[in-house]
Each structure stands twice: as C-alpha cells, then as structure tokens.
Amino acid sequence: MALDETTRQVNKRAVDALENASWRLLEADQKVTNAVGPLEDLSRVTNAHDPALEELRAVTARVRAAREDVSRRLTAESEGER
C-alpha cells in the first residue's frame, strides 16, 4: 500500500509541476509574441534587425512546441490521477 500512496503523491507533484510549466510557457509565448510585433514593424523599414526577428520567431516556435509537449504530458498525468 505504501507504494500506491507514493505513486499518487508523485503523480500529484507531476500534475502540479506540469500545470505550473503550462502556465509559465503560456506567459512566455505571449511575451515573446509581444516582442516579435515591433521588430516585424521595424523590418518594413530596415532589415538591419531581421536576425533578431528570426531568433525571436525561433524562440516562439520552440516555446509553442514545449507547450504542446507539456500539454500532452499533463493530460496523461491527469488521467492517472483518476
């Protein structure tokens, strides 16, 4: 029985950690997206900062991929809670 309880505790911690990660990744996605906008506007006038814009776009894609992965894991762990 102790193993069952430990498994439940670990599952609960995993769900809590994944929920926190999901929230933080959503915040990161929004903040990076907010940083992209002004550089996109600037790129209409000059391409001097396009490398920074491309880096931010890459970060956006990476953050969104992480959000998808965390979401899948959270769904799986949440089903394990039941």
Side-chain angles (χ1 to χ4, degrees):
M1 285 297 173
L3 184 58
D4 269 349
E5 191 160 3
T6 301
T7 300
R8 282 191 207 111
Q9 289 172 345
V10 170
N11 179 262
K12 173 69 172 126
R13 282 196 336 217
V15 168
D16 290 346
L18 289 165
E19 284 176 343
N20 185 53
S22 179
W23 176 252
R24 299 297 179 194
L25 286 166
L26 173 62
E27 289 179 325
D29 188 9
Q30 291 169 343
K31 289 180 186 227
V32 174
T33 299
N34 289 343
V36 167
L39 282 176
E40 284 178 332
D41 291 343
L42 188 58
S43 75
R44 294 181 188 134
V45 180
T46 178
N47 63 359
H49 306 293
D50 283 355
L53 177 58
E54 290 309 312
E55 287 296 325
L56 284 171
R57 286 179 176 152
V59 169
T60 300
R62 190 70 188 106
V63 167
R64 288 179 180 167
R67 283 183 66 199
E68 288 177 24
D69 183 53
V70 166
S71 178
R72 281 191 300 272
R73 292 172 187 275
L74 179 57
T75 299
E77 288 290 339
S78 296
E79 288 172 0
E81 265 188 328
R82 298 176 190 164

